[in-house]
DNA sequence: CAGCGCAATATGCCTAGACATATTGGCACC
DNA sequence: GGTGCCAATATGTCTAGGCATATTGCGCTG
């Protein structure tokens, strides 16, 4: 059979049709975890196409973590164990503007110097290495939106030393400077200390959401940031994703 | 040229070699966002392989969100947009046991009835539909670990009505019952109310991390859960991911 | 019956060519 | 000089084979 795509009305590529078929069996629970998926040969016969086409369809499901393949043993439906969700952490400026409010920020303090022990630890750099420490408040209209405390490793980003952040907030500036990176987040609740309470205009010991992020590039630590969002207002939303490649 | 894999050292498949090469160019920043990647033909010539092999390599990078492809225009390096991180939300029992502590839970209250307006809204079900409402405390050794307030849609999971959760906590029970699903998380900081403070043995209005999760299956809402972790102890860790789809 | 080795099987990776389709740059025509 | 159309190009999808490799089940032998 030669390659002729337009059979009747068609628009979806063949491999996606196959993929959707398999996916619906899995997601609907018809095929429970552990169930053996028909072999590539069988599916190729069933959908009347080449084995490669089936292989491509299944290959994609593997990347999505819906199935696991083993030679000779065949393809089986993966078990969903730890739930993984994708959390989008936006640029604060974009976040505020997306909600239709006026974005503004002001630099509270700015210091260039050698890293103290605490700073070196947070940043993951050597003690005494040159750092830029910045404290900055983000505003949405006339309400404090978040307090940012940031350390920048000047060994990694020497240009930052002369940057005054008059126009662009540090986060956005760095994002533009450093195209691709690795990051690690820690999210937890804290109680507002005196300084935080003052600048965010909330009462002392009010609950705040705190996000710590350490960013690396090519295994070099670039920046550490601690964002404190006031009160119970700020909500991180993580959209779904099930998966189970990491079996347990 | 016929297919002969074992050239010299033999190890990585061809398409992965190509993928790694491209990936390193992108991640190192050598190819800035917007840069045009060599065409499939060029790469095929360069790596002395078939175009399909190159296509497979690039196809995977597309799924990872590192590049964007457009016909005729070619393949270009994608711009890193909002940072996305993968957040793993574990089963509480597993979480506690992983930290080497003894896991225990007790059911505070259990009620079967018709959904109140508030419950219906949280669960995303119709007002008056049958629900199971459960409140449950999770312990690590002798310390309260989290307070769980859960609603289960009995239309979706009728078996839950007769389940008393003596052995298995509701979360684990449901996870085993419902193999694949979609979920939506909301994460924020709250201040402990009187009840929460009492059962978690913390002072009133102490900051707590709150995770709300609504779980669906086949677009049917199955369960809503609100987990409250006491104090500043509990930390969610999200490992990096610059971007993209599903990745590993 | 236990253990070993082999053949069958299912995936893994690859090729060389084909047709399909979107897009773009340039050329011809007005 | 503007504009519309066409050919060149790069990807998108697919085929029908091929050899490579891990595993499993089974039959044979001690």
């Amino acid at each position: 059979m030669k390659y002729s795509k337009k059979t009747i009305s068609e628009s979806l590529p063949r491999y996606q049709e196959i993929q959707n078929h398999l996916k619906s069996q899995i997601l609907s629970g018809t095929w429970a975890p552990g169930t053996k998926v028909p072999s590539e040969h069988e599916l190729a016969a069933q959908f009347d196409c080449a084995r490669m086409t089936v292989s491509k369809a299944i290959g994609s499901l593997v990347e999505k973590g819906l199935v696991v393949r083993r030679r000779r043993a065949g393809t089986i439906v993966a078990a969903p164990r730890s739930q993984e969700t994708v959390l989008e952490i936006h640029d604060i400026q974009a976040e505020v503007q997306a909600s239709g409010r006026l974005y503004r920020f002001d630099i509270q303090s700015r210091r260039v110097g050698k890293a103290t022990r605490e700073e070196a630890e947070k940043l993951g750099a050597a003690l005494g290495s040159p750092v830029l420490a910045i404290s900055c408040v983000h505003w949405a209209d006339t309400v404090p939106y978040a307090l940012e405390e940031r350390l920048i490793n000047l060994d990694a980003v020497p240009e930052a030393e002369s940057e005054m952040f008059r126009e662009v907030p540090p986060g956005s500036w760095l994002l533009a400077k450093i195209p691709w990176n690795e990051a690690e987040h820690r999210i937890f609740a804290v109680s507002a200390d005196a300084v935080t309470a003052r600048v965010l205009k909330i009462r002392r010991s009010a609950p705040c959401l705190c996000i710590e992020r350490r960013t690396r590039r090519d295994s070099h630590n670039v920046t550490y940031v601690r964002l404190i969002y006031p009160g119970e207002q700020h909500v991180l939303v993580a959209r779904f994703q099930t998966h189970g490649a990491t079996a347990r």
Side-chain angles (χ1 to χ4, degrees), chain A:
Chain A
M1 174 199 176
K2 277 275 149 263
Y3 171 41
S4 77
K5 189 177 179 181
K6 16 191 69 172
T7 42
I8 311 172
S9 62
E10 264 358 283
S11 51
L12 233 59
R14 214 99 162 108
Y15 79 92
Q16 277 221 350
E17 247 174 74
I18 300 171
Q19 211 185 83
N20 289 343
H21 174 255
L22 300 177
K23 210 157 133 186
S24 70
Q25 300 294 310
I26 296 168
L27 291 175
S28 72
T30 308
W31 290 348
T35 306
K36 196 172 172 304
V37 173
S39 79
E40 293 190 353
H41 272 295
E42 283 177 72
L43 287 170
Q46 187 181 322
F47 284 90
D48 188 30
C49 66
R51 190 169 72 96
M52 260 236 92
T53 306
V54 173
S55 187
K56 183 174 182 181
I58 301 181
S60 179
L61 292 179
V62 170
E63 287 201 45
K64 291 190 182 124
L66 283 165
V67 298
V68 173
R69 313 178 83 176
R70 268 173 54 225
R71 279 178 176 161
R72 162 71 222 213
T75 304
I76 57 170
V77 176
R81 263 320 174 210
S82 76
Q83 289 214 353
E84 292 194 352
T85 63
V86 174
L87 182 67
E88 287 192 39
I89 298 196
H90 298 277
D91 186 52
I92 292 183
Q93 179 167 5
E95 205 170 88
V96 170
Q97 288 170 344
S99 69
R101 287 174 291 178
L102 180 71
Y103 174 74
R104 193 163 69 77
F105 75 97
D106 58 61
I107 303 289
Q108 296 273 310
S109 70
R110 184 183 183 285
R111 178 182 70 85
V112 174
K114 295 193 183 303
T116 64
R117 172 173 294 112
E118 197 189 330
E119 288 174 341
E121 196 175 300
K122 282 178 178 170
L123 193 51
L127 191 115
S129 47
V131 294
L132 169 60
I134 284 194
S135 174
C136 156
V137 177
H138 300 268
W139 298 75
D141 288 336
T142 54
V143 180
Y145 188 77
L147 169 61
E148 170 176 340
E149 278 164 29
R150 185 182 288 273
L151 298 172
I152 299 176
N153 184 349
L154 289 175
D155 279 339
V157 197
E159 314 93 288
E161 183 164 355
S162 55
E163 176 61 43
M164 284 299 150
F165 306 109
R166 294 226 161 73
E167 304 296 325
V168 183
S172 308
W173 186 85
L174 277 166
L175 194 61
K177 279 273 175 216
I178 299 165
W180 293 96
N181 56 37
E182 299 170 51
E184 199 182 273
H185 294 83
R186 292 161 52 84
I187 300 159
F188 51 96
V190 297
S191 168
D193 61 24
V195 177
T196 305
R198 182 169 49 75
V199 298
L200 292 181
K201 297 184 179 170
I202 51 177
R203 67 165 211 284
R204 257 204 83 171
S205 85
C208 296
L209 190 68
C210 179
I211 301 176
E212 280 185 350
R213 172 166 60 219
R214 191 184 289 166
T215 306
R216 277 185 296 277
R217 173 176 180 173
D218 293 335
S219 315
H220 292 292
N221 287 300
V222 171
T223 185
Y224 160 90
V225 61
R226 181 185 166 99
L227 292 165
I228 297 180
Y229 294 86
E232 309 191 4
Q233 317 153 15
H234 192 77
V235 176
L236 286 175
V237 175
R239 73 169 186 279
F240 101 104
Q241 186 185 359
T242 54
H243 127 265
T246 47
R248 183 208 55 169

